[in-house]
């Protein structure tokens, strides 16, 4: 992959495939340029065990030798993650941009309480030999889980977590902290969790460019102040 970035205008990633390479692109609408034989791209409907039947998800299979360029939204970047035989992470489908030949994808049904919070029914698990590409807002961080000492991560920032990890939706800290923070996942278990560290940038930029300390103070101390005080 070769990345091209422009300030405030998103990012473009160019894939160069050799003979025998095969990439499954899960967001084919983002492919803006292609060089290679016409039959080098084959789109097909994805069958994710019926969970997404209402959404007509299409996957593009692109084989080499060829080259294609994909556009990424402003604020997003792509990271390639190698997949090994002992991979046990569950990924949010929306974050996965591609996976390569040699990698198989399976679905895992979420618990009912997690479905209601995440508004998603399944997570994706990858195994085999190859790599996947994930879309993130900001850098990707990795943290090790502990069997008993919980790790709290912003619910919207998690990219992947171990299949056997224990998750509880919660807030933490004193009354003021828990009242004004977003929901967090409380995680315990074995293995590592991946999360993105750029989703809070817009909030910080808003605070830095705010027109007065009084408004910011009122937003912080009044319940739902961020909604009513503009």
């Amino acid at each position: 992959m070769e990345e091209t970035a422009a300030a405030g205008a998103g990012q473009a990633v160019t894939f160069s495939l050799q003979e025998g390479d095969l990439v499954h692109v899960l967001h084919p609408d983002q492919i803006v340029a292609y060089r290679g034989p016409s039959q080098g791209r084959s789109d097909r409907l994805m069958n994710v065990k019926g969970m997404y039947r209402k959404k007509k998800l299409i996957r593009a299979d692109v084989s080499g030798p060829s080259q294609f360029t994909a556009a990424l939204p402003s604020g997003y970047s792509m990271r390639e993650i190698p997949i090994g035989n002992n991979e046990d992470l569950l990924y949010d489908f929306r974050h996965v941009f591609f996976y390569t030949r040699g990698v198989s994808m399976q679905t895992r049904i979420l618990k009912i309480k997690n479905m209601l919070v995440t508004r998603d029914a399944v997570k994706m698990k990858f195994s085999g030999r190859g790599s996947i590409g994930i879309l993130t807002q900001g850098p990707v961080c990795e943290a090790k889980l502990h069997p008993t000492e919980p790790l709290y991560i912003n619910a919207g920032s998690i990219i992947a977590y171990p299949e056997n990890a224990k998750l509880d939706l919660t807030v933490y800290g004193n009354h003021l902290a828990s009242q004004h923070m977003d929901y967090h996942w409380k995680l315990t278990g074995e293995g590592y969790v991946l999360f993105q560290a750029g989703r809070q940038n817009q909030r910080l930029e808003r605070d830095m460019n705010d027109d007065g300390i009084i408004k910011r103070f009122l937003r912080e101390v009044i319940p739902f102040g961020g909604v009513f005080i503009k």
Side-chain angles (χ1 to χ4, degrees), residues 5-173:
Q11 183 183 28
V13 180
T14 298
F15 296 77
S16 298
L17 307 183
Q18 300 178 354
E19 185 72 37
D21 290 342
L22 178 65
V23 174
H24 308 289
V25 181
L26 304 187
H27 297 275
D29 288 344
Q30 301 306 118
I31 298 178
V32 295
Y34 170 81
R35 182 192 301 273
S38 178
Q39 65 272 20
R41 171 176 171 171
S42 177
D43 289 13
R44 63 191 63 206
L45 288 173
M46 293 182 62
N47 179 20
V48 191
K49 293 188 177 179
M51 298 306 300
Y52 289 95
R53 284 177 295 183
K54 296 181 180 179
K55 292 189 178 179
K56 271 196 173 181
L57 292 183
I58 297 178
R59 181 188 80 194
D61 296 343
V62 184
S63 58
S66 64
Q67 185 180 78
F68 67 93
T69 300
L72 307 184
S74 177
Y76 284 81
S77 59
M78 186 180 299
R79 174 172 172 175
E80 187 173 12
I81 297 179
I83 300 296
N85 287 330
N86 296 322
E87 184 63 59
D88 66 343
L89 292 179
L90 300 181
Y91 289 83
D92 189 324
F93 180 86
R94 294 167 294 183
H95 284 288
V96 182
F97 191 86
F98 74 86
Y99 63 99
T100 63
R101 184 198 298 274
V103 174
S104 60
M105 180 176 67
Q106 303 90 35
T107 59
R108 293 294 186 268
I109 308 298
L110 296 182
K111 295 180 180 178
I112 297 296
K113 68 174 184 177
N114 293 353
M115 288 185 190
L116 296 176
V117 174
T118 62
R119 297 181 182 179
D120 200 358
V122 298
K123 294 291 184 183
M124 317 307 296
K125 183 177 181 179
F126 297 90
S127 59
R129 291 289 183 181
S131 62
I132 66 173
I134 57 174
L135 296 175
T136 67
Q137 291 177 281
V140 176
C141 302
E142 182 180 80
K144 183 175 177 58
L145 296 180
H146 189 275
T148 58
E149 296 178 3
L151 173 66
Y152 298 90
I153 300 180
N154 184 288
S157 297
I158 287 187
I159 297 172
Y161 56 86
E163 183 174 12
N164 295 318
K166 181 182 178 182
L167 286 80
D168 292 301
L169 196 65
T170 186
V171 291
Y172 66 94

